Amino acid sequence: MSGQHKYSVLLPTYNERDNLPIIVWLLTKTFQENNIDYEIIVIDDNSPDKTLEVAQELQKIYGENRILLRPRAGKLGLGTAYVHGIQHATGDFIFILDADMSHHPKFIPEMIRLQQSKNLDVVTGTRYAGNGGVYGWDLKRKVIRQGNNNVNRNSELDSLDAVRGANFLASVLLRPGVSDLTGSFRLYKKEVLTQLINSCISKGYVFQMEMMVRARQFNYTIGEVPITFVDRVFGDSKMGAMEIVSYAQGLLKLFVAV
């Protein structure tokens, strides 16, 4: 279905030894069944659970031309992981998604079809439009990610009002034109992703939001495909109190910069 195109998947990992074999199998199955040329680039940040050793075994199974290992010395941030991965990508299109199986590869063919039908620069998965949805999240995570969507409040969430307000302001003032600002299941033209990353100043959870804001600034065309997001089965979420604070701080910096 992809013609002469090749798709590189960037998989940043940290303590994902249990999830990595499953997501790689699902990706491989999806690409093969749809006759799509692909490569999967695993960017492991020196995971103490020996994720890299698992990736090495997967490379033996699927081949070095399909599984590329590009490890780093430590946790250096999501944006730099993408930069590192792009440098080794041979595809003309780049998929980014989480390695924890939150994003099911079954949506990949639909994302490719939408991109090809309209020659889009970016296709992003959305949990908040069409038949998209979120499963397995606790209320705190829904508030942070969903921003201005309707959720039930309780006293535990009072401290998160600033984050909800900031996300709402981002939608109203910055007008990125997408329903899921912090989503991390996306398809980019390679050169588009490179320019967006080079222009971004944010880190952490604000990074994905800024990518969409910058895309609109550069007049890139963006399409959305409804997806279902499922909370991780194995391992712990990377989101904690410090990430929430960094999220709010990063939004304020983005308001000033854009």
Side-chain angles (χ1 to χ4, degrees):
M1 67 174 289
S2 60
Q4 300 300 315
H5 298 298
K6 182 176 182 179
Y7 296 81
S8 300
V9 179
L10 303 187
L11 275 186
T13 58
Y14 187 77
N15 287 347
E16 298 290 358
R17 64 170 291 125
D18 294 322
N19 292 314
L20 188 61
I22 304 174
I23 190 63
V24 167
W25 178 77
L26 288 171
L27 284 165
T28 300
K29 181 175 182 290
T30 299
F31 286 128
Q32 290 180 345
E33 289 181 348
N34 291 275
N35 193 30
I36 300 170
D37 192 12
Y38 74 98
E39 64 184 5
I40 301 170
I41 303 176
V42 180
I43 309 151
D44 186 65
D45 280 359
N46 196 24
S47 298
D49 74 343
K50 299 183 178 179
T51 297
L52 182 58
E53 293 184 8
V54 173
Q56 291 168 342
E57 293 300 314
L58 292 171
Q59 188 179 58
K60 294 177 183 177
I61 295 171
Y62 296 103
E64 294 183 1
N65 64 321
R66 295 301 187 188
I67 309 296
L68 284 66
L69 308 183
R70 298 296 182 264
R72 304 193 297 173
K75 294 186 71 175
L76 302 174
L78 185 61
T80 59
Y82 291 153
V83 171
H84 186 68
I86 289 173
Q87 293 172 350
H88 302 281
T90 60
D92 49 334
F93 285 88
I94 306 288
F95 270 103
I96 63 169
L97 69 159
D98 294 343
D100 61 5
M101 295 189 297
S102 296
H103 303 129
H104 200 296
K106 67 181 180 181
F107 298 104
I108 283 177
E110 186 176 355
M111 296 172 80
I112 292 176
R113 281 192 290 268
L114 179 61
Q115 188 282 320
Q116 291 183 345
S117 68
K118 299 183 178 181
N119 191 27
L120 297 170
D121 297 308
V122 183
V123 176
T124 181
T126 176
R127 297 158 286 186
Y128 308 129
N131 59 353
V134 175
Y135 300 91
W137 271 4
D138 60 30
L139 191 55
K140 179 177 71 175
R141 294 187 69 190
K142 286 184 179 180
V143 169
I144 295 172
R145 297 281 184 144
Q146 193 169 354
N148 62 312
N149 287 275
N150 292 327
V151 293
N152 294 325
R153 297 187 55 194
N154 61 30
S155 58
E156 182 184 4
L157 298 174
D158 287 344
S159 61
L160 301 179
D161 283 344
V163 174
R164 294 181 63 192
N167 207 0
F168 175 75
L169 285 175
S171 298
V172 173
L173 299 179
L174 300 178
R175 299 186 183 278
V178 294
S179 61
D180 194 343
L181 287 173
T182 56
S184 53
F185 188 3
R186 292 173 181 164
L187 168 62
Y188 294 89
K189 291 180 178 178
K190 183 178 180 179
E191 66 274 14
V192 170
L193 179 58
T194 300
Q195 182 176 12
L196 290 177
I197 289 177
N198 290 338
S199 67
C200 285
I201 61 172
S202 302
K203 297 181 180 180
Y205 291 101
V206 183
F207 175 78
Q208 300 291 4
M209 176 184 290
E210 184 176 359
M211 293 278 279
M212 292 297 94
V213 173
R214 298 293 181 185
R216 287 302 184 192
Q217 276 192 326
F218 295 137
N219 293 318
Y220 286 136
T221 53
I222 305 172
E224 291 187 310
V225 168
I227 64 167
T228 52
F229 180 101
V230 181
D231 202 8
R232 64 167 52 243
V233 177
F234 300 111
D236 298 322
S237 171
K238 309 300 190 294
M239 181 181 291
M242 291 305 299
E243 284 74 17
I244 296 172
V245 173
S246 297
Y247 178 81
Q249 292 175 338
L251 282 173
L252 292 176
K253 291 180 181 179
L254 184 56
F255 294 153
V256 173
V258 177

